[in-house]
Amino acid sequence: MKSVGMTTGGFYKQFASKEALSAEATGRAFEDLGTLLAEYEERHRDHAAARHALIEFYLSTEHRDQPGTGCPAAGLAGDMARDAGAGEAGRCYANGLAEFTRWLSENEQDESDGLAAMATLVGAILLSRATTGTEFSEAILKAARDTLTPREDSGSRG
C-alpha cells in the first residue's frame, strides 16, 4: 500500500464491501485472461493454432510454477469452492469460465469440447501444482497435453 501512497484502510474504503472487492478482483482477473487470449489469436495464424499454443503454455512447468500470475480459473477455484454461491464474485467467476470455455471450443455450435478442455486444463494445473517436485506432477501435465493437443488437427473453427 505504501508504494501507491495508500493505507490499508484507505484501500478498503474504495469498495462497498469485501464481496464488492472480491467481485472486482475476479472480474479484472478474467479481463486479463481475455486480453491474453486475444494476444494468442493475434500471434497465431488461426484459432486452432492459438488454442494449441495456449494449451502448450498452460500445461507447462513455467505456468505450473507461477501460480500467482497464472489463470484465474485455477487460481480462484479453491476460494470459490469454499464460498459456494459466492454472490457477485461467484457470478463473475462463472461468467469468466464460460468465456474461457467458448474460446477453447473448436465448434461454436457445440461447446462441450471447450468445456472438457477447460476442465482438463484447470484440473491438470491444480493437480500438477499440488504435486510439484514429483515425477507425478510432470506426468499429469504430459497426459493432459497429449489428451488435448491431438484434436488440433481436426475440425477447427478458425
Side-chain angles (χ1 to χ4, degrees):
M1 291 290 104
K2 282 183 181 181
S3 67
V4 294
M6 293 185 81
T7 64
T8 302
F11 172 77
Y12 284 111
K13 285 183 184 178
Q14 303 297 312
F15 301 94
S17 64
K18 180 181 176 187
E19 173 62 27
L21 168 59
S22 181
E24 176 81 18
T26 301
R28 187 67 54 104
F30 277 101
E31 285 175 20
D32 290 347
L33 176 60
T35 299
L36 177 70
L37 298 177
E39 290 170 2
Y40 270 86
E41 291 284 351
E42 287 176 24
R43 281 196 306 260
H44 299 279
R45 65 187 181 280
D46 60 22
H47 180 74
R51 182 180 186 272
H52 182 85
L54 176 81
I55 289 169
E56 289 292 326
F57 171 74
Y58 201 103
L59 297 170
S60 69
T61 55
E62 177 185 357
H63 182 233
R64 180 202 61 201
D65 294 345
Q66 297 181 359
T69 59
C71 176
L76 298 174
D79 294 327
M80 295 300 151
R82 276 189 294 280
D83 191 12
E88 187 59 28
R91 284 187 289 282
C92 288
Y93 184 78
N95 290 338
L97 289 181
E99 287 296 317
F100 191 28
T101 295
R102 278 190 280 285
W103 190 88
L104 286 165
S105 179
E106 295 178 294
N107 179 346
E108 292 178 8
Q109 274 48 52
D110 178 8
E111 295 177 350
S112 61
D113 70 310
L115 187 57
M118 186 270 303
T120 300
L121 289 170
V122 172
I125 204 70
L126 287 171
L127 293 171
S128 180
R129 286 175 178 163
T131 57
T132 297
T134 69
E135 289 180 17
F136 195 59
S137 178
E138 301 293 330
I140 291 166
L141 294 175
K142 182 181 181 320
R145 266 193 316 273
D146 291 349
T147 297
L148 293 175
T149 53
R151 295 185 201 169
E152 300 307 324
D153 296 330
S154 64
S156 74
R157 65 176 192 176

